[in-house]
Amino acid sequence: MSLAIRVIPCLDVHDGRVVKGVNFRNLRDAGDPVELAAAYGADGADELVFLDISASSQGRATTYETVQRTAETVFIPLTVGGGVRGVEDVDRLLRTGADKVGINTGAITRPESINEITRRFGNQVVVLSLDARREAGQPSGFGVTTHGGRNSAGLDAIAWVREAVDRGAGEILLNSMDADGTTDGFDLELIAAVKDVVSVPVIASGGAGTVEHFVAAARAGADALLAASVFHYQTLTIPAVKAALADAGFAVR
């Protein structure tokens, strides 16, 4: 029996509000994170991801108070990322109500922080958040970006995923910067390339526009499917996505 495919709304939070743009630019307000979290919990979301998208670029910690109010509102697993640099940040987020913590720029800057966090809290807590885009100079054709896709990290995305899992990351949040916010579909080639080298669960992110896109990403190997705009602006509902996955033969919760 295969594990159920998880459907996960993403709250991209900037200055305490949920926002959405295309390729992390031209951000539009999409509502209050606590209200949205409650609505998604009621709608059947399997998990929730809360990303403070300005934390790393502005060099400040995640908004703990908003995280706490969100955690108190939902009774499904909550992953929080943004500005996480090490054990202390993870400790504080877990105490605030997060179940898992996403680390992106902090892990690139100090890869050993993954080892330190997993030693302290276990690998089930650590989600490597990866903003990848096509980059001609990289062996796999995919590079790693930081600061909301603004900077190239000079790393091959597939090699970095493999290293992060070797260091203890228990899950990969794989965001295609090329597809982000476009609603043209997930990057199936990127999903398949990552699934080829790791055995931990992969959450596909970036590009969802139709229920068929979710099915295609599941077929490409994604263990969980994340989206923002289509849920925030009610283009699609979580029950509709789950129904399409079930119709295609995938187990859903």
Side-chain angles (χ1 to χ4, degrees):
M1 166 85 182
S2 61
L3 290 173
I5 299 270
R6 291 168 287 147
V7 178
I8 307 176
C10 183
L11 306 177
D12 293 310
V13 180
H14 176 72
D15 295 337
R17 297 287 293 177
V18 176
V19 295
K20 197 61 200 142
V22 177
N23 307 127
F24 282 53
R25 289 171 173 78
N26 303 319
L27 300 177
R28 285 196 291 161
D29 188 273
D32 176 74
V34 182
E35 289 173 11
L36 279 170
Y40 289 138
D43 212 24
D46 296 306
E47 296 187 15
L48 204 58
V49 168
F50 179 114
L51 296 179
D52 188 336
I53 63 169
S54 46
S56 287
S57 61
Q58 295 182 1
R60 62 171 168 70
T62 305
T63 318
Y64 294 103
E65 187 260 341
T66 312
V67 170
Q68 184 166 2
R69 288 194 301 125
T70 304
E72 287 166 353
T73 304
V74 295
F75 305 99
I76 51 178
L78 175 65
T79 297
V80 181
V84 174
R85 285 178 174 73
V87 168
E88 293 75 19
D89 296 324
V90 174
D91 185 55
R92 187 167 175 190
L93 283 170
L94 293 175
R95 290 174 191 277
T96 304
D99 298 285
K100 297 185 272 190
V101 176
I103 184 167
N104 186 338
T105 308
I108 293 164
T109 308
R110 276 189 74 249
E112 58 271 24
S113 63
I114 300 174
N115 305 68
E116 293 160 4
I117 295 164
T118 53
R119 272 200 300 273
R120 172 87 176 267
F121 304 106
N123 67 349
Q124 77 287 345
V125 161
V126 182
V127 179
L128 180 78
S129 182
L130 170 66
D131 294 328
R133 67 160 28 115
R134 281 175 163 71
E135 200 175 308
Q138 297 299 342
S140 71
F142 294 102
V144 177
T145 70
T146 63
H147 298 82
R150 287 186 285 279
N151 304 333
S152 168
L155 294 171
D156 181 84
I158 305 307
W160 172 232
V161 164
R162 194 189 282 119
E163 178 183 344
V165 171
D166 286 345
R167 288 180 178 276
E171 193 165 27
I172 307 297
L173 171 49
L174 178 64
N175 187 39
S176 164
M177 294 306 299
D178 297 313
D180 178 78
T182 63
T183 67
D184 292 332
F186 293 92
D187 190 327
L188 306 181
E189 189 186 343
L190 176 62
I191 295 166
V194 169
K195 281 297 292 184
D196 215 31
V197 299
V198 299
S199 56
V200 301
V202 172
I203 305 168
S205 167
T210 67
V211 293
E212 290 80 16
H213 291 157
F214 287 86
V215 172
R219 287 190 175 128
D223 302 279
L225 306 162
L226 181 143
S229 317
V230 290
F231 294 145
H232 299 339
Y233 303 123
Q234 296 171 339
T235 313
L236 300 176
T237 65
I238 293 163
V241 170
K242 289 190 170 186
L245 288 164
D247 287 346
F250 291 99
V252 292
R253 292 180 183 156

